[in-house]
Amino acid sequence: MTATYTAQPPSRREARRLDRRDAILTVAETYFLEHGYAGTTMSGIAAALGGSKGTLWNHFPSKEALFSAVIDRVATAYRAQLSQILNPCGVLEPTLIRACESLLDRVCSAEAIALHRLIHAESARLPELSRIFFELAPRHTRALLAGFIQNAMDRGQLRQADAADAARMLLALIMAGTHQQLMIGQITEPVPAQIQADVSLGVDLFLRAYAPDAASPASAP
């Protein structure tokens, strides 16, 4: 007989520590977006928290570690949501549309646009920021999407190709409209109907390119 183990809830002390850590990350996220990475200090975040700098350092040994934790918390929460949408047994096109609308809604939010601008503004001087961001957010999101696409390829719903490249192309297609306009300040807020149109066009082009009967460049006349 296999023993069954029930996860024990955290102790009251551990629960308080986790709550405090979450509060730090919430304040830090806002602070980074408002002040930029270079303009953010551990002392400033401690002051915003209303606590001592020592308490902050007990949770995070450096500003870089704090920034990484902020990105990781946001990205992890969203990946859990996206994983629920990417049902490998679902109908391909509607599932892709739902996933891409969710993704585009997310990256076009005011918080996401502010974060992307922060990364773009400071990446030349602090390239480590873009590495941290890519490793903790876009890379994992692409991997989730690539896994779904690979499953569709294996089931014959899409032609065989590099699933990671396919995921990258799909993301590029859906982000070429509203997201790009927001990033350069051509528009100030997303329009739901336009997001749906961006997704509809992007998914349609993607499915045409990766249709099972689509000729590969090597076999094309």
Side-chain angles (χ1 to χ4, degrees):
M1 179 180 295
T2 302
T4 301
Y5 298 96
T6 303
Q8 296 297 316
S11 65
R12 190 171 299 178
R13 179 179 179 180
E14 178 66 10
R16 285 198 299 269
R17 190 189 73 81
L18 293 174
D19 285 346
R20 185 59 175 168
R21 184 180 189 276
D22 196 59
I24 290 171
L25 292 176
T26 298
V27 170
E29 180 181 351
T30 300
Y31 205 97
F32 277 121
L33 294 180
E34 290 180 351
H35 299 272
Y37 186 84
T40 295
T41 64
M42 297 293 270
S43 297
I45 291 176
L49 283 164
S52 69
K53 188 176 178 180
T55 300
L56 178 60
W57 281 87
N58 284 337
H59 286 271
F60 302 99
S62 66
K63 184 171 74 168
E64 180 181 301
L66 178 56
F67 182 77
S68 297
V70 167
I71 300 300
D72 188 51
R73 183 180 71 154
V74 173
T76 298
Y78 179 67
R79 285 197 301 273
Q81 177 184 336
L82 183 61
S83 294
Q84 294 297 314
I85 298 173
L86 291 173
N87 178 1
C89 297
V91 180
L92 180 60
E93 185 172 2
T95 301
L96 280 177
I97 287 174
R98 286 196 301 273
C100 288
E101 284 182 352
S102 172
L103 273 164
L104 201 53
D105 279 339
R106 182 69 177 180
V107 300
C108 288
S109 68
E111 296 80 9
I113 292 296
L115 177 60
H116 277 82
R117 285 175 176 165
L118 183 157
I119 299 296
H120 280 270
E122 306 202 39
S123 60
R125 189 175 60 86
L126 298 167
E128 187 66 8
L129 285 189
S130 59
R131 186 197 65 79
I132 290 170
F133 174 70
F134 179 77
E135 289 296 321
L136 293 176
R139 185 174 71 85
H140 289 297
T141 300
R142 286 185 191 177
L144 265 180
L145 191 55
F148 175 82
I149 289 171
Q150 183 63 65
N151 182 276
M153 290 175 177
D154 293 342
R155 296 170 64 180
Q157 296 173 306
L158 298 172
R159 66 176 175 84
Q160 285 293 335
D162 186 299
D165 283 346
R168 184 164 53 89
M169 290 301 100
L170 176 57
L171 290 173
L173 286 169
I174 67 171
M175 293 173 68
T178 298
H179 182 263
Q180 187 179 74
Q181 290 176 305
L182 286 166
M183 284 296 296
I184 64 175
Q186 196 169 19
I187 58 176
T188 57
E189 59 182 31
V191 177
Q194 189 56 52
I195 284 182
Q196 292 171 1
D198 289 347
V199 168
S200 179
L201 176 60
V203 170
D204 180 64
L205 292 172
F206 174 81
L207 291 176
R208 289 172 185 268
Y210 286 92
D213 57 351
S216 67
S219 63

PDB file of all heavy atoms in Angstrom, residues 23-38:
ATOM      1  N   ALA A  23       4.534  41.443   0.173  1.00  0.00           N
ATOM      2  CA  ALA A  23       4.330  42.887   0.303  1.00  0.00           C
ATOM      3  C   ALA A  23       5.530  43.656  -0.253  1.00  0.00           C
ATOM      4  O   ALA A  23       5.375  44.691  -0.921  1.00  0.00           O
ATOM      5  CB  ALA A  23       4.109  43.251   1.768  1.00  0.00           C
ATOM      6  N   ILE A  24       6.730  43.138  -0.003  1.00  0.00           N
ATOM      7  CA  ILE A  24       7.938  43.767  -0.530  1.00  0.00           C
ATOM      8  C   ILE A  24       7.905  43.767  -2.051  1.00  0.00           C
ATOM      9  O   ILE A  24       8.198  44.780  -2.702  1.00  0.00           O
ATOM     10  CB  ILE A  24       9.200  43.038  -0.023  1.00  0.00           C
ATOM     11  CG1 ILE A  24       9.400  43.285   1.472  1.00  0.00           C
ATOM     12  CG2 ILE A  24      10.439  43.495  -0.804  1.00  0.00           C
ATOM     13  CD1 ILE A  24      10.491  42.439   2.100  1.00  0.00           C
ATOM     14  N   LEU A  25       7.542  42.624  -2.653  1.00  0.00           N
ATOM     15  CA  LEU A  25       7.522  42.520  -4.107  1.00  0.00           C
ATOM     16  C   LEU A  25       6.485  43.453  -4.723  1.00  0.00           C
ATOM     17  O   LEU A  25       6.717  44.031  -5.791  1.00  0.00           O
ATOM     18  CB  LEU A  25       7.252  41.074  -4.521  1.00  0.00           C
ATOM     19  CG  LEU A  25       8.369  40.078  -4.194  1.00  0.00           C
ATOM     20  CD1 LEU A  25       7.955  38.671  -4.570  1.00  0.00           C
ATOM     21  CD2 LEU A  25       9.666  40.458  -4.902  1.00  0.00           C
ATOM     22  N   THR A  26       5.345  43.611  -4.065  1.00  0.00           N
ATOM     23  CA  THR A  26       4.304  44.508  -4.578  1.00  0.00           C
ATOM     24  C   THR A  26       4.800  45.950  -4.601  1.00  0.00           C
ATOM     25  O   THR A  26       4.637  46.669  -5.598  1.00  0.00           O
ATOM     26  CB  THR A  26       3.036  44.397  -3.714  1.00  0.00           C
ATOM     27  OG1 THR A  26       2.523  43.062  -3.792  1.00  0.00           O
ATOM     28  CG2 THR A  26       1.962  45.369  -4.192  1.00  0.00           C
ATOM     29  N   VAL A  27       5.421  46.377  -3.514  1.00  0.00           N
ATOM     30  CA  VAL A  27       5.953  47.737  -3.445  1.00  0.00           C
ATOM     31  C   VAL A  27       7.114  47.907  -4.427  1.00  0.00           C
ATOM     32  O   VAL A  27       7.220  48.918  -5.130  1.00  0.00           O
ATOM     33  CB  VAL A  27       6.409  48.063  -2.007  1.00  0.00           C
ATOM     34  CG1 VAL A  27       7.187  49.383  -1.965  1.00  0.00           C
ATOM     35  CG2 VAL A  27       5.204  48.143  -1.082  1.00  0.00           C
ATOM     36  N   ALA A  28       7.982  46.905  -4.500  1.00  0.00           N
ATOM     37  CA  ALA A  28       9.150  46.994  -5.375  1.00  0.00           C
ATOM     38  C   ALA A  28       8.747  47.089  -6.839  1.00  0.00           C
ATOM     39  O   ALA A  28       9.358  47.833  -7.621  1.00  0.00           O
ATOM     40  CB  ALA A  28      10.061  45.788  -5.156  1.00  0.00           C
ATOM     41  N   GLU A  29       7.722  46.335  -7.233  1.00  0.00           N
ATOM     42  CA  GLU A  29       7.270  46.379  -8.628  1.00  0.00           C
ATOM     43  C   GLU A  29       6.859  47.794  -9.012  1.00  0.00           C
ATOM     44  O   GLU A  29       7.272  48.319 -10.052  1.00  0.00           O
ATOM     45  CB  GLU A  29       6.107  45.416  -8.839  1.00  0.00           C
ATOM     46  CG  GLU A  29       5.580  45.404 -10.261  1.00  0.00           C
ATOM     47  CD  GLU A  29       4.395  44.459 -10.450  1.00  0.00           C
ATOM     48  OE1 GLU A  29       4.081  43.692  -9.531  1.00  0.00           O
ATOM     49  OE2 GLU A  29       3.781  44.514 -11.526  1.00  0.00           O
ATOM     50  N   THR A  30       6.055  48.420  -8.167  1.00  0.00           N
ATOM     51  CA  THR A  30       5.621  49.794  -8.432  1.00  0.00           C
ATOM     52  C   THR A  30       6.809  50.750  -8.451  1.00  0.00           C
ATOM     53  O   THR A  30       6.912  51.631  -9.317  1.00  0.00           O
ATOM     54  CB  THR A  30       4.607  50.243  -7.368  1.00  0.00           C
ATOM     55  OG1 THR A  30       3.478  49.371  -7.394  1.00  0.00           O
ATOM     56  CG2 THR A  30       4.148  51.667  -7.617  1.00  0.00           C
ATOM     57  N   TYR A  31       7.729  50.559  -7.519  1.00  0.00           N
ATOM     58  CA  TYR A  31       8.880  51.452  -7.405  1.00  0.00           C
ATOM     59  C   TYR A  31       9.778  51.355  -8.637  1.00  0.00           C
ATOM     60  O   TYR A  31      10.219  52.374  -9.181  1.00  0.00           O
ATOM     61  CB  TYR A  31       9.668  51.110  -6.142  1.00  0.00           C
ATOM     62  CG  TYR A  31      10.476  52.263  -5.593  1.00  0.00           C
ATOM     63  CD1 TYR A  31       9.981  53.059  -4.555  1.00  0.00           C
ATOM     64  CD2 TYR A  31      11.730  52.578  -6.111  1.00  0.00           C
ATOM     65  CE1 TYR A  31      10.722  54.114  -4.043  1.00  0.00           C
ATOM     66  CE2 TYR A  31      12.472  53.635  -5.617  1.00  0.00           C
ATOM     67  CZ  TYR A  31      11.967  54.403  -4.586  1.00  0.00           C
ATOM     68  OH  TYR A  31      12.696  55.453  -4.093  1.00  0.00           O
ATOM     69  N   PHE A  32      10.048  50.138  -9.089  1.00  0.00           N
ATOM     70  CA  PHE A  32      10.876  49.967 -10.292  1.00  0.00           C
ATOM     71  C   PHE A  32      10.241  50.649 -11.504  1.00  0.00           C
ATOM     72  O   PHE A  32      10.924  51.302 -12.295  1.00  0.00           O
ATOM     73  CB  PHE A  32      11.076  48.480 -10.588  1.00  0.00           C
ATOM     74  CG  PHE A  32      12.179  47.815  -9.815  1.00  0.00           C
ATOM     75  CD1 PHE A  32      11.914  46.737  -8.992  1.00  0.00           C
ATOM     76  CD2 PHE A  32      13.481  48.265  -9.923  1.00  0.00           C
ATOM     77  CE1 PHE A  32      12.928  46.115  -8.281  1.00  0.00           C
ATOM     78  CE2 PHE A  32      14.516  47.647  -9.216  1.00  0.00           C
ATOM     79  CZ  PHE A  32      14.235  46.567  -8.384  1.00  0.00           C
ATOM     80  N   LEU A  33       8.925  50.473 -11.650  1.00  0.00           N
ATOM     81  CA  LEU A  33       8.252  51.051 -12.812  1.00  0.00           C
ATOM     82  C   LEU A  33       8.219  52.573 -12.754  1.00  0.00           C
ATOM     83  O   LEU A  33       8.284  53.245 -13.779  1.00  0.00           O
ATOM     84  CB  LEU A  33       6.828  50.493 -12.916  1.00  0.00           C
ATOM     85  CG  LEU A  33       6.708  48.993 -13.214  1.00  0.00           C
ATOM     86  CD1 LEU A  33       5.243  48.587 -13.289  1.00  0.00           C
ATOM     87  CD2 LEU A  33       7.422  48.633 -14.509  1.00  0.00           C
ATOM     88  N   GLU A  34       8.121  53.123 -11.563  1.00  0.00           N
ATOM     89  CA  GLU A  34       8.051  54.578 -11.420  1.00  0.00           C
ATOM     90  C   GLU A  34       9.415  55.247 -11.513  1.00  0.00           C
ATOM     91  O   GLU A  34       9.531  56.363 -12.040  1.00  0.00           O
ATOM     92  CB  GLU A  34       7.394  54.944 -10.083  1.00  0.00           C
ATOM     93  CG  GLU A  34       5.901  54.634 -10.029  1.00  0.00           C
ATOM     94  CD  GLU A  34       5.287  55.014  -8.694  1.00  0.00           C
ATOM     95  OE1 GLU A  34       6.039  55.355  -7.752  1.00  0.00           O
ATOM     96  OE2 GLU A  34       4.043  54.960  -8.588  1.00  0.00           O
ATOM     97  N   HIS A  35      10.454  54.574 -11.015  1.00  0.00           N
ATOM     98  CA  HIS A  35      11.771  55.206 -10.912  1.00  0.00           C
ATOM     99  C   HIS A  35      12.805  54.630 -11.871  1.00  0.00           C
ATOM    100  O   HIS A  35      13.904  55.188 -11.976  1.00  0.00           O
ATOM    101  CB  HIS A  35      12.296  55.080  -9.473  1.00  0.00           C
ATOM    102  CG  HIS A  35      11.430  55.751  -8.455  1.00  0.00           C
ATOM    103  ND1 HIS A  35      11.571  57.080  -8.111  1.00  0.00           N
ATOM    104  CD2 HIS A  35      10.391  55.292  -7.707  1.00  0.00           C
ATOM    105  CE1 HIS A  35      10.673  57.408  -7.200  1.00  0.00           C
ATOM    106  NE2 HIS A  35       9.940  56.343  -6.931  1.00  0.00           N
ATOM    107  N   GLY A  36      12.457  53.538 -12.568  1.00  0.00           N
ATOM    108  CA  GLY A  36      13.456  52.881 -13.396  1.00  0.00           C
ATOM    109  C   GLY A  36      14.398  52.059 -12.537  1.00  0.00           C
ATOM    110  O   GLY A  36      14.422  52.200 -11.306  1.00  0.00           O
ATOM    111  N   TYR A  37      15.186  51.213 -13.198  1.00  0.00           N
ATOM    112  CA  TYR A  37      16.095  50.355 -12.424  1.00  0.00           C
ATOM    113  C   TYR A  37      17.205  51.181 -11.780  1.00  0.00           C
ATOM    114  O   TYR A  37      17.491  51.040 -10.590  1.00  0.00           O
ATOM    115  CB  TYR A  37      16.687  49.278 -13.333  1.00  0.00           C
ATOM    116  CG  TYR A  37      17.517  48.268 -12.589  1.00  0.00           C
ATOM    117  CD1 TYR A  37      16.927  47.173 -11.970  1.00  0.00           C
ATOM    118  CD2 TYR A  37      18.899  48.408 -12.501  1.00  0.00           C
ATOM    119  CE1 TYR A  37      17.688  46.241 -11.282  1.00  0.00           C
ATOM    120  CE2 TYR A  37      19.670  47.482 -11.810  1.00  0.00           C
ATOM    121  CZ  TYR A  37      19.066  46.403 -11.203  1.00  0.00           C
ATOM    122  OH  TYR A  37      19.822  45.493 -10.510  1.00  0.00           O
ATOM    123  N   ALA A  38      17.826  52.058 -12.565  1.00  0.00           N
ATOM    124  CA  ALA A  38      18.936  52.850 -12.035  1.00  0.00           C
ATOM    125  C   ALA A  38      18.479  53.785 -10.919  1.00  0.00           C
ATOM    126  O   ALA A  38      19.217  54.046  -9.971  1.00  0.00           O
ATOM    127  CB  ALA A  38      19.590  53.650 -13.161  1.00  0.00           C
TER     128      ALA A  38
END
